[in-house]
Amino acid sequence: MRYAELAAAYERLEATSKRLEMRAILAELFRPLKPPELPHVLYLSQGLLRPEYEGVELGVADSLARRAVAAAAGVDEAKVRHRAKELGDLGTTVAELFAGRTTLAAEEPLTVARVYAVLEEIAHSSGEGSQEAKVKALTGLLGAATALEAKYLVRFVLGTLRVGVREMTILDALAEAFAGGGKESRTRIEAAFNLSSDLGLVASALVDGGLPALDTISLEVGRPIRPMLAEREPSLAEVLERMEGKAALEYKYDGLRVQAHIPRSGPVRLFSRRLEEISAQFPELVRELAHAVHAKPAIVEGECVPIDLDTDEIQPFQEVSRRRGRKHDLDKAQEEIPVALFLFDVLLAGGEATYGLDFADRRARLEATVRPNDRIRLAKQEVVTDVDAAARFLDEAIAAGGEGVMAKSVGPGSSYRAGARGFWWIKYKRDYTVGLTDSIDGVVVGGFQGRGRRAGRYGAFLLAVYDAEKDRFESFCKVGSGFDDAALAEMPKRLAPFDSEERPAGVETGLAPDRWFRPGLVLEVRGAELTLSPIHRAARGAVRAELGLALRFPRFTGRYRDDKGPTDATTSHELFEMYRGQVRQAVAEAPDEPA
Ligand code: ATP
C-alpha cells in the first residue's frame, strides 16, 4: 500500500468525530490489507510501531525533527522553528513548506512498508552517532514525501498524530472489514484482544484463519492481559444479593495493580494496570516472585502496597507513588519504601491457562502455586454467606490498612473476564456509607486561565469521564481546588503532549475552556455530591432529558493516575451508578414521614 493512501485516510479521519464514519473509513482502509502490512497500518494509526505494552519509542525530539524538516525542505532551521511556533505544529509547518510538491521524479512513491522499515530503524538506533543517523533517516523519508505525507510522518515521529482512533473503534472496523460486522463477531474479536493486548496479532489471525483462528490466541508470558475490573454497590447487603447470597470477600489493598509474568527461566516481568512494563521499579518483587512462584511459567496478579517490614503494617499508598518513574536511587528507595505484593489471581500456572476456571478453583490454584514470603503474600480472603459476617470482615480489612473489600463471585461463570467491568467483582469501601466520598478518575480535556494569585497560569481544569459505548469523553466538572503551587507549575508540562488548537474529536461539553487538551492525563478528584447539570455532558439524558451529571465542589486529591490511560478513567455509566447509589441512600436516610 502507498503511504499516500494512509495519509488520505488520516485526513478524512481528522475531519470527523463521528464513530460510525471513523469505522467506515478504517474498514475501507483495512479491507484490502494482509499481514504484515495490516498490523503495521494498525500500529501506525494508533501512533505506535508495536503493541503499546512493548513500549517501543522512536526517541525523536522536536529539535531533531526540525533539523530533518529543514534539510528536506532546503530551508534554514531557524525559519522552520519560527514558523512552527507560529502555527503550533511542525506537521502543518512541513505541509506548508512542501506545498504543491509531488514526489520528486527520481523517487519512488512512499510505501507503508518503506515508511515502517525506516521508522523501525530510527527506533532501534541508539548510542553514539544515533542522533545523526535518525536525522538522516527521517530526512530521507521526508525527501520522498508529498506535503500531506510529510505532515503525518512528522506528527507520527513527534507522537502528536491527532487522528484519534482508539482501540474500540479499530475493533469495530476489523469486525466490519473481515467478519461481517455483526455483534457476535465483534465480541469475539474483542475477547481475543483482551487476552493478547495486541491488535496486530488479532487482525493477522482474523485475516489468515477467520473467526475460528481467534480461539488459538491464548496467554503468553511477556504479553500482558487486559485487567478484569470491578463494579460498585452501595451496601454490603446489595453486594451479597448480587452474588446470590455467597461471595469470596478479600481485603481491598490500596496500591498499584501489578500483573507479574514469571517465565520458566529468565527474568520476571511486571506490568501496570495500563500494561506498561514497571519491572525496573520493583527489583525486589522481580527477585522474590521467581522464588515464591513454583509452577512456572505463570501469570499472577496482585496489588503492590508499601509495608513496614518490622511491624507488618500496610502504609499509605502515596509512598509507592513516590517510587513510580524513579530511575535513580532504586536501592535507596527499596530500603526506604519497602513494598509487598498481595496476590489475588492466577491466569496461567505451570504453563496451563487458568483464567477460564471459576474463581474458587483459581484461588485454590493460586494457593498451590505460591509459597508466600515477606514480600509475596496472598490477599486475605473469607467466603461469606451473610451480611453480619461480611461486615465483620470489612471492619477487619479496614483495621489492617485496607480501603474496603473486594467481593468476588464464586458461582458458575466466575472465570477471569479480561478487560471487562462486571458484577463478578464488586468493590466496596466503607466510605460509600457516608455520602459520595469515593474518588473519580477524570480525564483533563481543557484548561482555564487563572486569575489573581494564579494569573499567568492555569487556574482550573475541565475534566471528563469516558463513555465506553459511544467512545467519547463527557465533561463532569471544572476543578481548581486541591492544586498547590507545585501541582499548578507541573500541570502545563504534563499537559503539553495533549495540547490542541480546537475541541478534540469525541470531547463533549457545554463549556468553552481557554485551552483544549486531547484526552490523555487522568487525575483523581473527590467531591461533595453528584448533581444534574445543563452544562456538563456526563451520562446526559440518563436521569433527565437534556441534563448531564456534574460533581459539586470537586477537589484534586493530588494523585495523578499515571497507571491509567484516558479510556481507563471512570466511565459515564459508573458515574450514573454512583448517582443512583447516592439517591437510594438519601431515600434510606430520610426521616420517616409522620403518620
Ligand atoms: P478500577 O480498577 O476499577 O478502574 P481504580 O483503579 O480507581 O478502579 P478502585 O476503584 O479503587 O481502583 O478498585 C479497583 C482496584 O482495586 C483494582 O484494579 C486493584 O488494583 C485493586 N485491588 C486491591 N485489592 C484487590 C483484590 N483483593 N482483588 C482485586 N483487586 C484489588
Side-chain angles (χ1 to χ4, degrees), residues 227-232 250-258 273 302-303 342 344 379-380 403 406 408 421 425 427 429 432 438-439 441 524 561 563-564 568-570 574:
M228 176 166 178
L229 301 170
E231 281 282 0
R232 294 182 175 84
E250 292 179 356
Y251 285 9
K252 185 174 185 311
Y253 302 93
D254 185 17
L256 209 61
R257 186 165 182 163
V258 171
R273 186 189 179 294
E303 189 86 352
F342 287 87
F344 53 72
K380 187 85 188 286
E403 57 168 349
M406 265 287 186
K408 298 185 176 176
R421 192 183 295 283
W425 283 11
K427 46 193 181 190
K429 301 181 198 173
Y432 292 143
D438 191 27
S439 58
D441 297 323
E524 185 184 79
R561 292 300 308 255
D563 60 330
K564 286 195 167 188
D568 302 319
T570 300
E574 284 181 274

Side-chain angles (χ1 to χ4, degrees), residues 580-593:
R580 281 203 335 178
Q582 197 181 273
V583 172
R584 263 184 289 175
Q585 195 182 312
V587 171
E589 283 170 6
D592 289 341
E593 293 279 317

Side-chain angles (χ1 to χ4, degrees), residues 256-270:
L256 209 61
R257 186 165 182 163
V258 171
Q259 194 179 103
H261 288 235
I262 303 119
R264 203 180 299 279
S265 62
V268 168
R269 294 173 68 187
L270 310 178

